[in-house]
Amino acid sequence: MLPVADMTFPNGTPFPQSSDGFLYARCAVVAAGQAVWESVFLDVDKFFPYTSAECDGEWLLYVPDQAYELATGKEWDRSTRYCYESYSNKDGWPDLGS
């Protein structure tokens, strides 16, 4: 597991989380709605509850593909301008190295 930079339990101890787990937690925050993601953006401590397995937001990653397939009857062969994978923005995670 790759630890998430600057993530800690409420008591201040660091907790390990895989890059996939971090991605799915971010998705769970988005799925919880605008008020939640805005609150997490303003107060990082509010992110912690979304890091548990019960808040897995992985399903959100597949919504566009499923909607396209439902609308067209075809699989969406897409490429994206930006990668959503955790740590893909090297400038945003300088402490992780390469």
Side-chain angles (χ1 to χ4, degrees), residues 14-28:
F15 69 94
Q17 190 172 23
S18 70
S19 58
D20 283 346
F22 183 47
L23 171 61
Y24 304 156
R26 294 182 348 244
C27 288

Side-chain angles (χ1 to χ4, degrees), residues 16-85:
Q17 190 172 23
S18 70
S19 58
D20 283 346
F22 183 47
L23 171 61
Y24 304 156
R26 294 182 348 244
C27 288
V29 167
V30 170
Q34 183 174 350
V36 171
W37 66 256
E38 285 179 349
S39 73
V40 168
F41 183 76
L42 296 172
D43 181 359
V44 71
D45 290 337
K46 293 182 179 179
F47 180 73
F48 179 75
Y50 296 92
T51 62
S52 72
E54 292 82 36
C55 288
D56 184 351
E58 179 183 13
W59 61 269
L60 188 60
L61 297 172
Y62 310 109
V63 169
D65 304 77
Q66 293 168 349
Y68 182 86
E69 189 169 342
L70 281 172
T72 66
K74 300 175 185 173
E75 188 174 321
W76 188 11
D77 182 24
R78 67 177 164 121
S79 60
T80 59
R81 183 175 186 184
Y82 301 104
C83 180
Y84 58 72
E85 293 293 339

